[in-house]
Amino acid sequence: QVQLVESGGGLVQAGGSLRLSCAASGSIFGPSAMAWYRQAPGKQRELVAAITSAGSTNIADSVKGRFAISIDNAKNTVYLQMNSLKPDDTAVYYCNSDPPFSRYWGQGTQVTVSS
């Protein structure tokens, strides 16, 4: 039974940085890839960044050049480094597989960016 616990969110001013962590129990790479998603109030959940077991990454155009995804296999943790944050980045951030599995969704971590 895989459990994913997100942390590292918070309130930050525009231009600031945060690093989100996704701690996983069990094997992260049972799925083909792991990813970060986000969902703003009243909007659909969207893919932000994904990383394969081979280390290849895919970054959404909206955050390309500002966000980076990485993984620490020893700690069984996936990270999302977020730099140059904008108010439009405000959302609840979740980790999951890519494509996502319903039973993997956790509580997420809130990121709020003020202008």
Side-chain angles (χ1 to χ4, degrees):
Q1 185 75 32
V2 172
Q3 288 185 313
L4 303 173
V5 180
E6 302 94 342
S7 63
L11 177 63
V12 64
Q13 293 188 10
S17 298
L18 287 171
R19 187 172 76 157
L20 307 184
S21 298
C22 173
S25 62
S27 178
I28 294 176
F29 291 111
S32 299
M34 293 298 296
W36 284 95
Y37 302 80
R38 67 185 183 186
Q39 186 171 26
K43 297 184 179 179
Q44 295 293 111
R45 188 151 44 202
E46 63 178 347
L47 180 71
V48 177
I51 185 167
T52 70
S53 58
S56 298
T57 62
N58 295 111
I59 311 296
D61 288 342
S62 60
V63 302
K64 195 170 295 181
R66 299 188 297 119
F67 291 11
I69 188 170
S70 62
I71 188 164
D72 185 336
N73 283 319
K75 296 182 179 180
N76 217 31
T77 301
V78 181
Y79 301 97
L80 183 68
Q81 179 66 47
M82 307 187 296
N83 299 322
S84 301
L85 282 161
K86 304 174 179 179
D88 283 350
D89 296 319
T90 295
V92 178
Y93 285 71
Y94 303 87
C95 60
N96 206 320
S97 55
D98 178 23
F101 291 121
S102 296
R103 62 178 172 269
Y104 286 5
W105 293 118
Q107 293 296 307
T109 185
Q110 176 72 49
V111 172
T112 303
V113 184
S114 64
S115 60

